Amino acid sequence: MKAFFYLIMLLNIVCSHAQNSQDNIVYESIIDDKNVVVKLSTVDQATMLSMLHGGFYVYFDVKGKKKKNVSIQYPINATLPQRPDKNDRERNREDRDEEAQKGPDIAVLIEKLPKTASFVNFDSEQEFHLDLNNLGVTITYSFDEEAEELLYILQIPKHNLLSGKGSDLSKLSIGVVSPKIKTESQNGPPNQDQRQEKVSLNFWFKAFENN
């Protein structure tokens, strides 16, 4: 009976950990022997567009607070798409309505993402290429068409987050925050895609240490 009780408690802990969510995003972070891994997923299309077009910061605070001294931003230098040109605006209304109903092709948007990210560690800032960098950082996006789910995975070596001789990440807190995006000046109301990309992310959570 006691073993069964502990098993139920363990299952509850695992389930609650796996189902953490905020701002339409399911999130988790695991600290293993060498890396900190952050996983984010969403099935909300407006949130997908905000993540892909606007990018966001992933902040790391080893003291467990919400300081924004250490971060990864990807993609960088992102702006909202410009207004459609005259030819696009004059396309057949039925074609536009059909495209709006289907929504954007998320897989295509992922393929078109730039390969440059930014790593900030207090006063040091470094832009790096996702496929070739000396930081050991990897960032991947994937889209499950069947589940209509966008998955983001960031992996960063622990030593990039630690200063001096410190090795304690037990208090590590992680923030997911949208940047303030400068949009092109426009006449008239924003279109549907631009309204969707105003979705803003702003939440923090504790990392989970995999002992």
Side-chain angles (χ1 to χ4, degrees), residues 34 41 43 46 50 62 91 110 120 124 161 191 193 204:
K34 297 181 179 180
S41 64
V43 295
S50 178
V62 297
R91 287 182 306 166
I110 292 174
V120 174
S124 173
L161 306 179
N191 60 35
D193 287 344
W204 289 76

Side-chain angles (χ1 to χ4, degrees), residues 117-130:
S118 174
F119 174 57
V120 174
N121 193 333
F122 287 85
D123 295 331
S124 173
E125 182 174 0
Q126 178 179 348
E127 290 189 8
F128 64 93
H129 193 278
L130 295 187

Side-chain angles (χ1 to χ4, degrees), residues 30-159:
I30 297 175
I31 305 173
D32 60 26
D33 292 338
K34 297 181 179 180
N35 303 292
V36 175
V37 181
V38 179
K39 296 182 180 180
L40 309 173
S41 64
T42 183
V43 295
D44 180 70
Q45 188 178 94
T47 303
M48 293 182 197
L49 292 177
S50 178
M51 293 170 68
L52 295 171
H53 281 153
F56 55 93
Y57 294 95
V58 178
Y59 291 104
F60 302 91
D61 188 340
V62 297
K63 295 184 178 180
K65 299 180 181 179
K66 296 182 180 180
K67 300 293 185 180
K68 298 180 178 180
N69 297 315
V70 181
S71 67
I72 295 282
Q73 183 187 9
Y74 177 73
I76 60 175
N77 301 324
T79 57
L80 298 182
Q82 296 180 1
R83 296 183 66 191
D85 60 28
K86 183 177 181 181
N87 291 333
D88 289 335
R89 292 196 299 269
E90 291 177 351
R91 287 182 306 166
N92 183 277
R93 180 180 297 274
E94 292 182 0
D95 292 340
R96 296 200 306 270
D97 291 343
E98 183 179 354
E99 288 184 6
Q101 185 175 3
K102 291 190 302 183
D105 191 328
I106 300 299
V108 172
L109 293 180
I110 292 174
E111 291 179 0
K112 293 181 178 180
L113 283 175
K115 291 290 187 178
T116 306
S118 174
F119 174 57
V120 174
N121 193 333
F122 287 85
D123 295 331
S124 173
E125 182 174 0
Q126 178 179 348
E127 290 189 8
F128 64 93
H129 193 278
L130 295 187
D131 296 335
L132 183 63
N133 65 81
N134 58 8
L135 295 171
V137 175
T138 61
I139 301 174
T140 59
Y141 268 116
S142 61
F143 182 65
D144 185 333
E145 294 187 358
E146 183 175 350
E148 297 185 349
E149 180 181 52
L150 178 69
L151 175 63
Y152 166 97
I153 300 178
L154 163 65
Q155 178 175 289
I156 181 170
K158 293 163 65 173
H159 64 78

Side-chain angles (χ1 to χ4, degrees), residues 169-189:
L169 289 177
S170 61
K171 296 181 180 179
L172 178 65
S173 61
I174 297 173
V176 177
V177 182
S178 298
K180 294 181 179 179
I181 300 177
K182 297 180 180 179
T183 61
E184 299 291 338
S185 59
Q186 302 177 4
N187 295 321

